[in-house]
Amino acid sequence: MKRFLIIGLGLVFLASCNPQKTEQRGSDQTDQDNDGVWELPNYTYTDSLMQGSHKVVFTITSQPDEQLPEVVDEDGVKFKDNRFQLLIMKDGKQLFNRSFTKADFKSQLSEDFQKFGIMDGLRFNHAEEGKLYFNTCVSFPDSDMSCPFILTIGPDGSYTITPDTTFGEEDDEFPSI
């Protein structure tokens, strides 16, 4: 019995000495690609809700986009920017399907956020009076500096993007994806 205990402890020790290192930067769970560029992982989230008698299903996907310019921070660290896709189905029919990048917020961003920011989040907030509200933001990578926005989808599939002036007033902060 003592022999099995020693062998078991030896295996646990060997497993904890795994030479492969997984790098993480900040709480964003970024990964470094083969070119040394940091990127957020691909992400897909689907949920549904009832709006009156209508079933609404939305899917949010994100991925680093090779077609977008890389962002280089003040330390020379490179980051890939992201593209977010929002698909909304209402009663089985497509209501909304569009991708978003930092460029969609350009007119509402300072020069610094246009140059050094990445789009790093999109999540459902709430539904009210037939409209769907989503939170999104453009942030400096690996920092808590961000420009939050509210994406509002109308019952006809139209949309607006406005600055989120209530950001930070809630207890639960906007999580990066």
Side-chain angles (χ1 to χ4, degrees):
M1 182 70 169
K2 188 175 184 180
R3 182 180 209 180
F4 290 114
L5 181 61
I6 292 172
I7 292 172
L9 288 174
L11 290 174
V12 169
F13 175 74
L14 288 174
S16 67
C17 295
N18 186 350
Q20 295 178 343
K21 182 179 178 187
T22 301
E23 293 192 54
Q24 293 182 351
R25 296 184 52 85
S27 61
D28 292 342
Q29 302 285 325
T30 55
D31 295 320
Q32 200 170 27
D33 72 7
N34 292 335
D35 297 327
V37 180
W38 291 93
E39 61 184 38
L40 293 174
N42 292 347
Y43 174 83
T44 300
Y45 177 78
T46 299
D47 203 352
S48 64
L49 63 120
M50 294 300 294
Q51 277 192 315
S53 63
H54 302 285
K55 182 174 183 178
V56 177
V57 178
F58 61 88
T59 301
I60 299 169
T61 57
S62 76
Q63 62 186 29
D65 192 327
E66 301 288 336
Q67 303 302 314
L68 297 173
E70 291 176 352
V71 172
V72 181
D73 71 9
E74 67 275 358
D75 297 323
V77 178
K78 295 178 183 177
F79 296 86
K80 287 186 183 169
D81 206 342
N82 305 294
R83 179 176 303 277
F84 284 78
Q85 184 77 28
L86 177 60
L87 170 64
I88 303 173
M89 303 295 287
K90 184 175 181 179
D91 296 329
K93 296 179 182 159
Q94 183 175 299
L95 173 69
F96 187 84
N97 188 10
R98 189 177 192 291
S99 65
F100 293 92
T101 66
K102 175 177 65 179
D104 292 298
F105 307 90
K106 185 176 180 178
S107 67
Q108 301 180 60
L109 293 172
S110 69
E111 283 186 43
D112 282 348
F113 275 98
Q114 289 179 36
K115 185 173 181 180
F116 301 113
I118 62 171
M119 186 170 173
D120 71 351
L122 178 65
R123 74 169 181 165
F124 176 72
N125 185 310
H126 71 283
E128 184 178 326
E129 297 179 3
K131 296 179 181 178
L132 301 169
Y133 295 86
F134 293 83
N135 294 97
T136 186
C137 66
V138 173
S139 302
F140 291 151
D142 264 357
S143 85
D144 58 357
M145 299 292 294
S146 67
C147 287
F149 296 94
I150 297 174
L151 170 63
T152 305
I153 310 298
D156 60 352
S158 62
Y159 74 96
T160 59
I161 298 172
T162 56
D164 184 354
T165 58
T166 64
F167 183 73
E169 291 180 7
E170 297 178 11
D171 290 338
D172 60 336
E173 292 186 24
F174 183 66
S176 295
I177 299 175

